[in-house]
Amino acid sequence: MDIDHQNKESLKVVHIISSLERGGAQGILMKLVIHSDKKKYSHYIISLKSGNAYQDIIVENQLEDCIFIVDKKRVLRSLTGLFSFIKEIKPDILHSWMYHADLFTSLLKPFFGSVNIIWSFHHASPMHNKWLSYSIAKICSYLSYFVPNKIISCSDLAKKEHIAFGYDEKKIQTINNGVDSREFVFSEKNIKDYSQEKLLTIGFIGRYHPIKGYDVFIKSAEIISKKYPDLRFIMIGSNMDRNNINLIEMLRRHNLEKVTKLYGEEVKDIRKYYNMMDIYICTSYSESFSLTLVESAFLGIPSISTDVGIAKDIISESNLVVRIGDNIGIVNSIISVLKFSKKQSEDMLKANFDKAFKTFTLDRMIEEYQYLYDNNSH
């Protein structure tokens, strides 16, 4: 494998991640690799699962030689290749992302004992996991006192939850996720007199998984559409399409099939769907961070959210953050936004933007990771 194009004098970081399926942690990793200072840092990625949803991005950024993907059909050969890949790179840091990868770095430690190890959390609470992930997280909580040099949490909420679960508090620090403010640009067109608007679209972004609260969104949409029949709804995310028979049936039961458009997973540019929305709603039961709330704040789209992740750190109007699972609270929040004058709309959107820009930019995130690497290498 040819890795000679990387800067030999740079600090070398090998990232180990559970998979390269499309997801929040994977997206953050890709942004970190692409936007880091290439003269100072060389990044390599190992995926422990077959498949690669980021192939186009990898090719576009000429990273093909920096990626190693374990082939589940040839596990033993893949593991041998994985060891050779790491040995050839001679990394300064092994940085694992999510529980399965964290455990895997523990198995690598005896073979690469001189390499510093960093773990990452991208889940709000290890308690809210299937039994296998829960068990792995519990094992990692014990190993956290011996294996990693540092543990990175993507939010203060995730940090708090993992400390309560038993992870070594002394090693955990928060590096908030970041959104590129050059890519997500505030639009003045969203500053409008909502009290005078009728044909408005309310959006949902999230994969078809119970934790994303699509049931809360649908129940809320049914109630609010009875009061405001001109409202329309869009849903974006993995399996949020017309091939999902269960979702279609749920929309039909709630009298929403004709007023809801399903767009499925977006792999290139989510902004086109934000541009369709007048209000964005996050109805998740659990989030470690909530990147969509930052993106909507940067774009200038009103947001309503359940009390998850960083919702209270982004949304300036406290009544627009409601209890988890509270579809009536979501409905009341929508009604509040629909009564906003243009001045109220402007004040809210600019306050949301200021809060997001202060803490959650991509540039800030990259700087903090680079500082971390500088202080945890040989």
Side-chain angles (χ1 to χ4, degrees), residues 121 124-127 134 138 141 145 156-169 172:
F121 297 146
S125 172
M127 296 293 293
Y134 174 92
K138 180 54 71 174
S141 71
Y145 293 85
D156 287 332
L157 172 64
K159 176 180 178 179
K160 179 181 177 181
E161 295 285 353
H162 283 82
I163 291 172
F165 193 70
Y167 279 81
D168 186 353
E169 180 177 4
I172 304 174

Side-chain angles (χ1 to χ4, degrees), residues 2 17 35 38 41 50 59 68 101-102 119 132 150 156 164 176 180 215 226 247 250 283 315 350 367 370 374:
D2 179 17
I17 193 163
H35 293 283
K38 293 176 176 56
Y41 307 92
S50 300
V59 171
F68 184 94
D102 294 341
W119 286 358
L132 179 59
K150 276 286 184 181
D156 287 332
N176 288 302
D180 192 344
D215 60 326
K226 291 177 182 178
L247 178 60
M250 189 174 186
T283 51
I315 299 174
K350 290 189 174 179
E367 288 178 5
Q370 291 182 165
D374 289 340

Side-chain angles (χ1 to χ4, degrees), residues 256-368:
L256 293 170
E257 187 178 14
K258 292 182 179 180
V259 296
T260 304
K261 289 188 177 180
L262 304 174
Y263 289 99
E265 184 175 22
E266 174 55 36
V267 298
K268 289 186 177 180
D269 191 352
I270 194 68
R271 291 173 297 180
K272 64 184 177 184
Y273 295 114
Y274 280 117
N275 289 335
M276 297 178 186
M277 299 179 197
D278 298 288
I279 301 172
Y280 169 66
I281 299 182
C282 170
T283 51
S284 295
Y285 287 97
S286 179
E287 289 283 350
S288 61
F289 187 79
S290 311
L291 272 171
T292 53
L293 292 178
V294 182
E295 291 169 349
S296 57
F298 279 175
L299 291 170
I301 299 170
S303 295
I304 296 166
S305 179
T306 49
D307 188 6
V308 294
I310 56 166
K312 287 182 176 177
D313 298 321
I314 292 289
I315 299 174
S316 57
E317 297 283 333
S318 60
N319 65 318
L320 302 186
V321 179
V322 307
R323 289 182 295 108
I324 293 170
D326 184 5
N327 59 289
I328 300 301
I330 293 290
V331 170
N332 290 334
S333 295
I334 295 172
I335 292 172
S336 294
V337 173
L338 294 178
K339 292 179 179 179
F340 275 13
S341 67
K342 187 169 185 178
K343 179 65 167 59
Q344 289 174 306
S345 169
E346 180 177 16
D347 289 346
M348 176 187 66
L349 295 179
K350 290 189 174 179
N352 289 356
F353 175 87
D354 289 342
K355 293 180 76 171
F357 192 79
K358 181 179 179 181
T359 310
F360 303 116
T361 63
L362 178 65
D363 289 344
R364 184 271 320 153
M365 185 194 82
I366 298 295
E367 288 178 5
E368 291 187 22

Side-chain angles (χ1 to χ4, degrees), residues 17-175:
I17 193 163
S18 303
S19 76
L20 284 176
E21 298 169 347
R22 192 161 297 277
Q26 290 88 341
I28 290 297
L29 170 57
M30 284 298 166
K31 289 183 182 297
L32 175 61
V33 169
I34 292 168
H35 293 283
S36 287
D37 185 340
K38 293 176 176 56
K39 293 181 179 179
K40 292 183 63 178
Y41 307 92
S42 293
H43 294 276
Y44 307 85
I45 299 174
I46 294 173
S47 172
L48 299 179
K49 186 177 179 180
S50 300
N52 184 0
Y54 297 89
Q55 183 62 31
D56 290 345
I57 294 174
I58 288 168
V59 171
E60 182 182 338
N61 289 275
Q62 300 180 329
L63 295 171
E64 299 97 314
D65 294 331
C66 305
I67 310 293
F68 184 94
I69 298 176
V70 172
D71 185 348
K72 66 179 180 181
K73 295 180 180 179
R74 301 177 177 179
V75 175
L76 290 178
R77 182 180 297 181
S78 282
L79 290 177
T80 300
L82 183 152
F83 272 81
S84 298
F85 183 73
I86 297 175
K87 285 183 178 179
E88 185 178 356
I89 294 166
K90 298 178 181 177
D92 300 288
I93 293 171
L94 290 177
H95 182 176
S96 57
W97 300 66
M98 301 186 289
Y99 304 132
H100 294 72
D102 294 341
L103 180 60
F104 189 73
T105 60
S106 302
L107 302 177
L108 290 177
K109 188 175 177 66
F111 303 96
F112 302 96
S114 62
V115 179
N116 284 352
I117 291 176
I118 296 171
W119 286 358
S120 292
F121 297 146
H122 289 270
H123 197 284
S125 172
M127 296 293 293
H128 300 148
N129 276 295
K130 295 180 180 179
W131 72 268
L132 179 59
S133 293
Y134 174 92
S135 300
I136 291 174
K138 180 54 71 174
I139 293 170
C140 286
S141 71
Y142 297 123
L143 294 174
S144 68
Y145 293 85
F146 312 105
V147 175
N149 298 85
K150 276 286 184 181
I151 304 173
I152 304 306
S153 175
C154 69
S155 69
D156 287 332
L157 172 64
K159 176 180 178 179
K160 179 181 177 181
E161 295 285 353
H162 283 82
I163 291 172
F165 193 70
Y167 279 81
D168 186 353
E169 180 177 4
K170 296 178 181 177
K171 292 182 180 178
I172 304 174
Q173 75 175 74
T174 298
I175 297 181

